[in-house]
Amino acid sequence: MKKQGVLPLLLGGLLSLTGCSIVKGFEKDLDFAVYDGTELWLEGKINIFNNAVLPTAKQKEGLLFYRYLIGEGTFDKATTPESALYPDAGLIRYNDVVAYAVDGKLKVSTVYLTPEEMPRNYLKIGWYDRSRTSKIDQNIIDRWTPDLNAFLVTYGATQEDIADVAIAPYGNGGAVADLGAAINKDGLVDIVLGVGNNIDSATGANVKIVEKHQIKLQDGSDWRYIALLNERPQSRAVYEWIKTDAGHKALTGE
């Protein structure tokens, strides 16, 4: 990627004082550079008054972006401190990162992992948050979640497992392509609710799935689709349960 120049700076309220000699005497610049391997993505300066925002990481075939690594060290899941890891498009603050600089220079590196290496929830369920299309909103999810938890108990999940279930909206209210982009970027979603038949279409959401199912309501009419994205045992079990009347009644209002 071509170097994109200096990162935009988020200016603190005290920046207007940087012209004063008293303030200037205490201000120190920290040069930083953001790398993806050996490729320089961005570079810039921060100081105690000026913060910066990391870029949104690229998607890579077969890999998922994990975090940005701050400093010269090598990432290790077991030993790298949390303070040296920053999220995608995260805010860099001088005081938080200055300890990782060497001779006034700070290196920031991308960390990508395979899906198998990524930390993941016991179960992660996504729903299409364009409610007028998906027929689902947060109130419906809140109504349905106790039914899901009750099923997981019968499945054999522990309370620790149940506490590690994530249910999140995807798509930010946009078109189906936005839904697909968000799910694909996450890479760790097990089941998606409230989608259309084009969930796996190249001209639709373009999400790689195992299978999809359109729910039939008790009056015989069609509701939305659910999609299974992998064959983890708990994913398959919950997907099959949602296909039943008991599994989807709180979603559909039946």
Side-chain angles (χ1 to χ4, degrees):
M1 177 182 291
K2 184 180 179 181
K3 183 170 69 176
Q4 297 181 10
V6 177
L7 276 177
L9 299 179
L10 298 182
L11 304 182
L14 291 175
L15 184 58
S16 60
L17 300 178
T18 56
C20 300
S21 59
I22 296 176
V23 175
K24 200 69 177 178
F26 291 97
E27 183 179 349
K28 294 181 180 179
D29 286 335
L30 185 66
D31 295 316
F32 69 95
V34 181
Y35 288 91
D36 179 44
T38 60
E39 181 183 3
L40 177 63
W41 276 8
L42 292 170
E43 59 185 351
K45 294 179 183 291
I46 56 175
N47 54 52
I48 59 174
F49 302 118
N50 300 329
N51 303 319
V53 179
L54 290 168
T56 298
K58 297 183 295 186
Q59 288 186 246
K60 295 187 177 184
E61 185 69 28
L63 294 173
L64 298 174
F65 175 76
Y66 177 56
R67 305 282 279 280
Y68 280 105
L69 175 67
I70 306 297
E72 296 286 344
T74 301
F75 171 73
D76 184 284
K77 284 197 293 185
T79 61
T80 298
E82 185 68 20
S83 60
L85 297 171
Y86 275 66
D88 192 20
L91 181 68
I92 296 182
R93 295 180 176 88
Y94 177 91
N95 287 339
D96 295 334
V97 299
V98 65
Y100 292 98
V102 176
D103 296 329
K105 299 182 183 298
L106 179 72
K107 182 179 180 181
V108 182
S109 308
T110 58
V111 177
Y112 287 89
L113 301 175
T114 66
E116 294 73 26
E117 293 171 327
M118 286 286 285
R120 67 185 306 160
N121 295 95
Y122 174 75
L123 182 72
K124 192 167 193 176
I125 297 176
W127 56 276
Y128 184 16
D129 70 345
R130 191 178 188 182
S131 298
R132 67 179 184 273
T133 301
S134 68
K135 313 303 181 188
I136 297 178
D137 59 26
Q138 188 60 55
N139 289 332
I140 291 173
I141 291 296
D142 292 342
R143 183 179 69 198
W144 177 72
T145 300
D147 290 352
L148 170 64
N149 292 344
F151 167 75
L152 288 172
V153 169
T154 67
Y155 173 69
T158 66
Q159 289 304 309
E160 183 177 9
D161 292 334
I162 293 172
D164 194 35
V165 173
I167 306 177
Y170 288 84
N172 197 30
V176 67
D178 300 307
L179 168 70
I183 291 172
N184 289 333
K185 182 178 180 181
D186 183 298
L188 299 174
V189 179
D190 299 302
I191 297 168
V192 188
L193 309 175
V195 297
N197 189 39
N198 59 353
I199 179 68
D200 55 338
S201 168
T203 57
N206 199 26
V207 175
K208 184 178 181 180
I209 68 171
V210 175
E211 63 183 78
K212 58 193 172 186
H213 172 78
Q214 187 175 29
I215 292 173
K216 285 283 186 180
L217 301 181
Q218 292 180 4
D219 64 4
S221 62
D222 293 329
W223 194 69
R224 299 288 289 175
Y225 283 78
I226 59 174
L228 177 67
L229 274 57
N230 59 61
E231 285 285 14
R232 299 172 76 202
Q234 60 268 43
S235 305
R236 170 60 75 173
V238 171
Y239 172 78
E240 294 296 335
W241 169 74
I242 298 173
K243 289 163 61 176
T244 69
D245 289 343
H248 68 247
K249 66 180 183 180
L251 287 176
T252 61
E254 292 190 306

